[in-house]
Amino acid sequence: MPQGMQVFDQFGNLKVDISDRVLRFLGDPIIAGEGTSGSFTNDGFLTGTPFWLAAPFSTGGTAYWPGDKLVPPTVSISGNTFSYTINTGLGTQIIQYGVY
């Protein structure tokens, strides 16, 4: 039988098993402003299930989700290509990406 890694807490509860997934960021965050778009390739997307997350900036830093331009960008990941669009009227975004 193959061996794997398991981590237990002090009470004997299983906390991590080889079947659990750990995320891995693949590159530097993208900082993109209103009306911008772009794409890039990263073969790391082929090594797991791709994910992305965005942190939008609000005008004056006082808005609440999902108001005042706090709308995520349009993103697509196909194979090893990541494409994004920050629509006109949306605030600056920090986009982070990786696989798990």
Side-chain angles (χ1 to χ4, degrees):
M1 183 168 119
Q3 298 298 311
M5 181 183 78
Q6 292 183 323
V7 178
F8 296 87
D9 67 12
Q10 69 271 28
F11 305 108
N13 299 313
L14 181 63
K15 298 310 257 183
V16 176
D17 197 336
I18 195 68
S19 63
D20 289 344
R21 296 181 180 193
V22 178
L23 65 88
R24 178 170 46 99
F25 287 100
L26 294 176
D28 293 329
I30 301 164
I31 300 175
E34 173 182 357
T36 61
S37 63
S39 66
F40 61 90
T41 59
N42 187 320
D43 288 338
F45 288 121
L46 305 175
T47 65
T49 302
F51 75 90
W52 64 275
L53 54 98
F57 289 99
S58 67
T59 307
T62 59
Y64 296 94
W65 187 268
D68 194 26
K69 302 183 183 183
L70 296 184
V71 178
T74 302
V75 169
S76 67
I77 303 171
S78 178
N80 65 348
T81 303
F82 184 100
S83 302
Y84 64 92
T85 300
I86 315 300
N87 294 323
T88 301
L90 298 183
T92 298
Q93 309 269 337
I94 296 177
I95 306 171
Q96 295 180 299
Y97 54 92
V99 293
Y100 62 90

